[in-house]
């Protein structure tokens, strides 16, 4: 009997400690995203898509974020027809880019507003049709503002500077997103 009580007590203690490690609050975001990228050396492209994130609080003002996004559009690339002479031309290709990023987010609630700042790291993948596909390291620095509509629901405005390194060159991108946030 004593052993059974001891084992039950230890299981209770370890279960309590394990539960303390799981975030008790956080949020889920999903919305529209505008992405301005310089994937080619000719010009910048504006693409549209979506962004979603999941944040779990580890401290009252600090959370860990998993951020996912996909953007779709077209971009001009340098192409050419080479025979006896090479004539460079501009070729338009459909582009799809996905990013998966993780990192800390710092936030504080002030009335109905919750401003936040974040630094995320992960990878990006691009498919530029005939020009190929590539996967690279990606970073994002940014922040935003959540406006509480009702207790568990808010509206988010967010901006990030996203840097990728596709096809051996560095891209400096701007991502602007807005959408709905569900808090738990």
């Amino acid at each position: 009997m004593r052993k059974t009580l001891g084992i039950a007590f230890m299981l209770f203690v370890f279960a309590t400690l394990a539960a303390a490690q799981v975030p008790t609050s956080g949020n889920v975001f999903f919305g529209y995203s505008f992405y301005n990228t310089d994937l080619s050396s000719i010009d910048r492209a504006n693409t549209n898509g979506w962004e979603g994130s999941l944040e779990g609080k580890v401290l009252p003002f600090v959370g860990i974020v998993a951020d996912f996004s996909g953007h779709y559009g077209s971009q001009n690339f340098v192409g050419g027809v080479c025979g006896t002479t090479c004539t460079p031309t501009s070729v338009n290709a459909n582009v799809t880019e996905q990013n998966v990023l993780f990192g800390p987010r710092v936030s504080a609630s002030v009335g109905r507003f919750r401003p936040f700042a974040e630094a995320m790291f992960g990878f990006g993948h691009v498919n530029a049709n005939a020009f190929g596909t590539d996967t690279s390291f990606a970073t994002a620095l940014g922040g935003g503002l959540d406006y509480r509509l009702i207790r568990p629901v808010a509206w988010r405005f967010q901006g990030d500077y996203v840097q990728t390194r596709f096809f051996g060159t560095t891209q400096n991108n701007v991502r602007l997103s807005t959408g709905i946030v569900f808090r738990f």
Side-chain angles (χ1 to χ4, degrees):
M1 179 72 166
R2 208 175 200 178
K3 256 187 189 177
T4 306
L5 287 175
I7 291 172
F9 177 73
M10 291 305 289
L11 285 173
F12 175 75
V13 168
F14 287 129
T16 303
L17 290 173
Q21 302 304 312
V22 176
T24 57
S25 65
N27 62 69
V28 175
F29 163 74
F30 188 78
Y32 166 77
S33 183
F34 169 82
Y35 197 67
N36 182 270
T37 182
D38 63 346
L39 190 57
S40 81
S41 60
I42 296 178
D43 63 358
R44 297 188 67 83
N46 296 325
T47 60
N48 298 291
W50 56 270
E51 180 185 1
S53 68
L54 174 65
E55 177 185 8
K57 292 287 190 179
V58 293
L59 295 171
F61 299 106
V62 179
I64 300 296
V65 179
D67 183 275
F68 309 93
S69 65
H71 297 90
Y72 314 92
S74 61
Q75 175 87 46
N76 292 321
F77 290 89
V78 175
V81 178
C82 293
T84 55
T85 62
C86 195
T87 308
T89 60
S90 175
V91 177
N92 191 284
N94 289 329
V95 175
T96 301
E97 182 175 335
Q98 289 95 21
N99 293 310
V100 177
L101 304 164
F102 303 93
R105 178 182 288 163
V106 178
S107 64
S109 292
V110 181
R112 289 186 161 273
F113 297 96
R114 187 179 75 103
F116 62 89
E118 60 194 7
M120 298 180 291
F121 310 92
F123 66 91
H125 178 78
V126 68
N127 180 356
N129 285 356
F131 292 94
T133 64
D134 195 13
T135 302
S136 80
F137 181 72
T139 59
L141 297 173
L145 181 70
D146 290 351
Y147 177 74
R148 187 178 71 232
L149 301 172
I150 57 175
R151 192 162 197 57
V153 180
W155 196 263
R156 176 170 293 172
F157 302 96
Q158 179 177 338
D160 294 300
Y161 162 75
V162 181
Q163 188 177 69
T164 55
R165 293 169 185 84
F166 296 125
F167 305 116
T169 61
T170 301
Q171 293 82 38
N172 298 301
N173 311 305
V174 175
R175 179 177 70 181
L176 302 173
S177 304
T178 187
I180 194 115
V181 179
F182 296 101
R183 297 178 178 177
F184 52 89

